[in-house]
Amino acid sequence: MTALVVGASGFLGSVLIQHAVRSGRPVVATYATRPGRAAGVIWRQLDLREPSSIEAVFTAGVPEVVINASSGGSDWDVTADGAGRLALAARTHGAHLVHVSSDAVFSGGRSPYAESSRPDPVSPYGAAKAAAETAVRLIAPDAVVARTSLIVGNGDSEHERLVHGLIQGTRTGALYTDDIRCPVHVHDLASALWELTDSRFGGMYHLAGADAVSRHELGELIARRDALDASLLPAALRATSGLPGGLDVRLACRATCQELHTRLRGAREFLVGRGC
């Protein structure tokens, strides 16, 4: 069963590719500007802003399943409209779609959020992701929409690089003590996404870690795992920063976990030591 992974050169996408190659799954991997380093896959350039680019990728590979792990930030043409274009292509070609969304679709005013909770974004990025969800669910009703939270790895995520940079003095800023999320390990997330892909489930799912922590506590956990001085991490309040976005945005995953075999560990567990 050939799978198309959109955004395969990104952090999550690259791990999805690792899992696919390890299991012997045929994969077509897309990139926006430059291909990833993974061997054993077919790399194709894709511009989600261009319907012709999407159609060319589908007709060349004819995938049976599609995982959209792309990240266009608050760029509406990529994140929102691009997701709709991809959903339309998946429906036209009879491919099962798994769309990766974000906890940014919520304001934080009614946390924790269940799979049935309606989006109420308060940031440009959240608005684009919420619009993408709506487009996908309307165009491809059998698709999976999988919301996730902060994604952490074994040293190679943006959150981990920020912690190292703050402690080493190569980056400026602070970690917020009032910004609550449910971080997930990238390998747990990738496993869950492939499980949803293979099961041909449809509907809304929450793929987040079991622990709700602040960004500052997450930074402390990363620092301790990596034998760094966590006391050097600067702290601040997001509420006074002027940045848009929700504060307490916890994803409840009870309904999702009842259907999946993959266990979504909490940050206090997966950041105790190295490895996955």
Side-chain angles (χ1 to χ4, degrees), residues 79 92 113 218:
T79 300
T92 300
Y113 291 92
L218 177 62

Side-chain angles (χ1 to χ4, degrees), residues 87-144:
L88 181 59
R91 189 187 70 179
T92 300
H93 290 271
H96 179 55
L97 174 63
V98 175
H99 174 80
V100 181
S101 189
S102 167
D103 58 7
V105 302
F106 296 121
S107 69
R110 299 191 301 274
S111 193
Y113 291 92
E115 290 87 345
S116 59
S117 298
R118 294 184 178 182
D120 59 341
V122 290
S123 70
Y125 173 64
K129 294 298 283 187
E133 288 188 5
T134 300
V136 168
R137 299 181 76 183
L138 285 174
I139 296 169
D142 294 332
V144 165

Side-chain angles (χ1 to χ4, degrees), residues 225-244:
R225 181 201 63 185
D226 296 344
L228 301 174
D229 187 352
S231 68
L232 296 178
L233 286 171
L237 292 175
R238 181 168 181 165
T240 60
S241 70
L243 292 175

